[in-house]
Amino acid sequence: MDFNLPPEVEQMRRAVLDFAHDVVEPRAHEIEATNRVPDDLTRAAADLGLFGLSIPEEYGGLGLDMVSKCALYEALGHAHMGFGGVISAHASIGTTGLVTLGTEEQKRRFLPRMATGETIAGFAITEPTSGSDAANIRTRAERRGDVFVLSGTKHYISNAPVAGLLTVIAVTDPTQGARGMSALLVEMDTPGVRVGRIDEKMGQRGALSAEVIFEDAEIPAANLLGPLHGGYREALKILTNGRVGIAARATGSMAHLVELGVAHARTREQFGRPIADFQAVQFMLAEMQVDVVTSRATWQYVAWLVDQGRSVGMEASAAKLHATEALSRVADKAVQIAGGMGYMKDYPVERWYRDQRLLRIYEGTSEIQKVIIARSLLQ
């Protein structure tokens, strides 16, 4: 296994890291105050190619393998987590289904605009009655001639208020349970499709999510993504690979918190000397760094397995579970090192502490990851 990046990817990784530190993070207070990502930051991200991470070069994307893509996700993890959330929801689960399952016509129709960020994408599976229990989906898509008539409600859908395209998982054969679901490419300007209430979240400001309501929306049959009645199975594959990206982004966020902790420890004085001199602080920093190193090694290995064409259901769950739980530990220690300052909204650690909490919930809770891992051991 060789995790060294090609020179051009390493150059881009450094560019994304600089962009995160020097461009996005200085705008964090603006994102927090307005609950939106400024248009110029979106354009800058598009210029870097971040919206095309998962898209092949022939459609305008970067055509990266999984190891390279996750290396950029880790660099992106140093940026405001709401900003990173917009990018990852689009470039990961919002895009990979179309790339892997789409027809040539579908790819040529949608991917070039997605690669430039002109069309933002999202993935809609969660409903009021089905989160972790995805097999309980109630949104229906009834085939009528050349269209599917789509009815139902999705909620907590990342990017929904700004998206132009959603991959929607809906029931197409209610007699078959989980085996009777299909994936549809749904354009948000379709009559009968509307965004409902925009969510007010604890953190990740700027990464908007909302309910999406389908009221007898007519979706062209040509927008069926992948096999009929194969949507649930394919959705699980999409989520599996997405979990590796979350692990990488969580690793970057940990590394950023270590940087903040080290900088604070060197400059904050107590009892006449920097708190970095105290072993209690040194031990917290050491434990934080151990979580960075182990999380990075894990996502690199699982991403490499993906590039080898291996099935990684259990390994991806392990990577996400470890990295997101580790990020919570690191964020907690970062607040502790900062003391009272770490609890104040004008200090970045407070924001990171709130923002990271969501990673243990979306794209499969920590408990669901444990179920997947245990089943793989006991089957």
Side-chain angles (χ1 to χ4, degrees):
M1 291 177 286
D2 183 2
F3 301 136
N4 290 318
L5 301 174
E8 64 276 11
V9 177
E10 174 59 21
Q11 183 178 8
M12 184 175 181
R13 188 194 69 81
R14 291 179 179 275
V16 173
L17 192 60
D18 290 343
F19 177 67
H21 279 282
D22 302 336
V23 179
V24 180
E25 273 296 286
R27 307 282 293 278
H29 285 298
E30 179 182 350
I31 296 172
E32 292 292 301
T34 62
N35 195 25
R36 64 182 298 273
V37 175
D39 291 341
D40 63 307
L41 287 186
T42 301
R43 288 193 298 270
D47 291 341
L48 278 173
L50 292 177
F51 287 99
L53 292 178
S54 301
I55 297 174
E57 291 181 284
E58 59 263 39
Y59 306 107
L62 298 180
L64 300 176
D65 61 20
M66 195 66 174
V67 170
S68 296
K69 182 165 62 173
C70 285
L72 298 186
Y73 279 138
E74 180 176 325
L76 186 62
H78 288 252
H80 182 284
M81 290 191 75
F83 175 83
V86 173
I87 303 296
S88 62
H90 166 92
S92 180
I93 59 174
T95 299
T96 53
L98 177 54
V99 170
T100 57
L101 299 172
T103 65
E104 186 61 25
E105 189 279 331
Q106 289 171 342
K107 292 177 182 180
R108 295 201 177 278
R109 182 180 176 192
F110 295 115
L111 288 180
R113 292 168 61 89
M114 292 165 65
T116 62
E118 189 174 356
T119 295
I120 303 296
F123 182 80
I125 187 170
T126 302
E127 298 185 2
T129 59
S130 61
S132 297
D133 182 17
N136 195 34
I137 287 171
R138 297 181 181 179
T139 296
R140 299 290 180 89
E142 181 183 347
R143 180 70 181 263
R144 297 179 190 172
D146 293 334
V147 300
F148 286 94
V149 179
L150 185 63
S151 300
T153 299
K154 301 289 186 181
H155 77 165
Y156 304 153
I157 304 305
S158 298
N159 284 350
V162 296
L165 183 72
L166 291 180
T167 299
V168 178
I169 307 300
V171 176
T172 46
D173 184 352
T175 69
Q176 297 297 314
R179 296 182 178 180
M181 300 180 192
S182 300
L184 296 170
L185 296 170
V186 177
E187 296 172 85
M188 295 299 285
D189 60 358
T190 302
V193 178
R194 63 184 176 90
V195 175
R197 184 179 62 86
I198 296 176
D199 302 315
E200 287 289 334
K201 302 193 295 289
M202 176 193 297
Q204 298 211 15
R205 302 275 291 173
L208 301 181
S209 63
E211 66 178 359
V212 183
I213 302 164
F214 310 104
E215 298 169 316
D216 294 329
E218 295 188 355
I219 311 302
N223 283 22
L224 176 69
L225 181 63
L228 183 66
H229 309 324
Y232 182 66
R233 180 179 65 251
E234 299 303 333
L236 294 180
K237 294 179 183 178
I238 293 168
L239 290 171
T240 293
N241 285 358
R243 288 165 183 157
V244 189
I246 290 177
R249 194 155 61 94
T251 303
S253 297
M254 280 184 258
H256 187 77
L257 285 166
V258 171
E259 293 170 1
L260 292 175
V262 168
H264 182 81
R266 284 173 170 167
T267 57
R268 174 66 169 166
E269 291 190 359
Q270 291 288 287
F271 306 103
R273 52 181 173 154
I275 63 172
D277 289 350
F278 299 115
Q279 195 173 64
V281 173
Q282 294 172 5
F283 280 6
M284 283 191 283
L285 290 171
E287 291 164 355
M288 292 161 73
Q289 184 63 11
V290 168
D291 276 330
V292 173
V293 171
T294 55
S295 296
R296 180 177 295 132
T298 303
W299 78 246
Q300 286 178 329
Y301 171 65
V302 181
W304 177 83
L305 290 177
V306 172
D307 288 335
Q308 305 310 303
R310 302 270 293 277
S311 176
V312 296
M314 183 275 287
E315 291 85 356
S317 287
K320 180 184 186 290
L321 174 65
H322 174 75
T324 56
E325 293 286 340
L327 175 55
S328 285
R329 294 192 295 268
V330 168
D332 187 73
K333 290 184 177 75
V335 172
Q336 196 70 14
I337 290 170
M341 190 180 300
Y343 199 68
M344 302 300 161
K345 282 189 175 293
D346 58 355
Y347 193 67
V349 166
E350 182 273 344
R351 165 171 50 87
W352 287 88
Y353 186 79
R354 284 184 290 110
D355 286 354
Q356 58 80 25
R357 186 61 182 84
L358 183 59
L359 271 64
R360 291 163 58 195
I361 298 173
Y362 66 13
E363 295 191 37
T365 64
S366 290
E367 291 68 32
I368 287 296
Q369 308 313 319
K370 292 176 184 178
V371 169
I372 293 170
I373 295 164
R375 283 178 178 171
S376 74
L377 294 173
L378 298 171
Q379 64 184 2

